[in-house]
Amino acid sequence: MNDQSLSNPPLQRYSGLFIIITAVFITCLITANIIAVKLVSIFNLVLPAAVIIFPISYIFGDILTEVYGYARARQVIWLGFFCNLLAVLAIWLGGLLPPAVFWQGQDAYQQILGYTPRLLLASFIAYLVGEFANSFVLAKLKIATKGRWLWVRTISSTVVGEGLDSMLFISIAFIGTIPANGMVTAIITQWLFKSVYEIIITPLTYLVVNYLKKREQNDPFDHDTQFNPLLFLR
């Protein structure tokens, strides 16, 4: 079968596997935003705890684009954005509600789950730019490589997407509050760690992609796709 002869299935049809992948993608995203408040030391590198799970959202972003095409990946990226926004609003409203007189955890709740507007703005912008860049690069490389060398596509797209994500988040969240050299160090550290994460897990990505292509009988090439990230429903 010629891979390039297969086209995207109608967007209104969603398989059970596609729904599972979407659910895992969104869960990774929301979980990462919640645990990011904790700073950890890994190999003497100070990183947010989110590094243990946030790169997985990029891996699943790769899988979505590779198996289902850019248009469906775009839908999932926006769905993840709105689900995360809903979670943030719920957490914020929970913090505003008056605590029970016997409950002593209000300060801890605000410290761990409270978001500043600047951090939220940084997180949302970095997520959208990074994920769309990741999906775009992978889709274009798939066409350029004629579907060969999956590892080149997944690693290259992650290097670009995670690089933009790290740069935008650190810059928007911390500019003016920490020295420029400290920001550069933080950006490079997170970028390299997430990229190495992708490289290490590439064999698993191969297994999942090959299994899904076989089960879904789908291997789309985005020759005629409109790559405008704002076309949410197409």
Side-chain angles (χ1 to χ4, degrees):
M1 181 181 295
N2 184 352
D3 286 343
Q4 297 192 56
S5 67
L6 296 174
S7 59
N8 286 320
L11 287 179
Q12 65 270 23
R13 296 174 56 192
Y14 299 96
S15 71
L17 290 171
F18 175 78
I19 293 172
I20 291 172
I21 293 168
T22 299
V24 174
F25 174 90
I26 294 174
T27 300
C28 290
L29 171 64
I30 295 175
T31 302
N33 282 343
I34 292 174
I35 68 174
V37 66
K38 180 177 180 179
L39 296 178
V40 299
S41 178
I42 302 177
F43 304 119
N44 293 322
L45 299 175
V46 177
L47 299 164
V51 296
I52 65 172
I53 194 168
F54 185 68
I56 297 176
S57 69
Y58 273 79
I59 293 167
F60 275 83
D62 290 342
I63 293 169
L64 284 164
T65 305
E66 178 70 22
V67 180
Y68 300 99
Y70 178 87
R72 280 197 169 177
R74 174 172 54 203
Q75 289 182 325
V76 176
I77 291 170
W78 278 112
L79 183 60
F81 174 83
F82 289 119
C83 287
N84 187 42
L85 180 61
L86 178 61
V88 168
L89 288 174
I91 292 170
W92 175 70
L93 289 173
L96 291 180
L97 292 174
V101 293
F102 56 84
W103 192 63
Q104 304 298 317
Q106 181 66 20
D107 290 340
Y109 181 99
Q110 290 298 134
Q111 182 178 359
I112 300 300
L113 296 177
Y115 298 98
T116 66
R118 184 170 175 177
L119 286 176
L120 284 178
L121 178 65
S123 176
F124 286 151
I125 292 177
Y127 162 75
L128 288 175
V129 173
E131 287 288 356
F132 276 120
N134 178 74
S135 186
F136 175 83
V137 170
L138 190 141
K140 288 295 188 180
L141 283 178
K142 185 173 184 179
I143 295 172
T145 61
K146 298 181 180 180
R148 297 170 294 176
W149 311 319
L150 175 61
W151 64 274
V152 172
R153 302 197 293 280
T154 59
I155 294 174
S156 298
S157 61
T158 296
V159 167
V160 174
E162 292 280 21
L164 289 171
D165 181 283
S166 299
M167 179 183 69
L168 287 171
F169 178 78
I170 298 296
S171 298
I172 296 172
F174 300 110
I175 190 169
T177 63
I178 62 176
N181 60 338
M183 289 179 53
V184 172
T185 300
I187 291 170
I188 293 175
T189 299
Q190 290 197 42
W191 179 38
L192 290 177
F193 185 92
K194 294 171 183 177
S195 297
V196 170
Y197 196 121
E198 168 77 27
I199 294 170
I200 292 173
I201 209 167
T202 292
L204 179 59
T205 304
Y206 262 84
L207 290 175
V208 174
V209 165
N210 290 335
Y211 171 78
L212 287 172
K213 285 181 177 179
K214 183 177 180 180
R215 281 291 303 271
E216 300 284 48
Q217 289 295 296
N218 195 47
D219 191 9
F221 285 73
D222 290 291
H223 291 289
D224 302 317
T225 300
Q226 297 185 58
F227 285 91
N228 185 346
L230 299 180
L231 299 178
F232 173 57
L233 295 179
R234 294 191 181 184

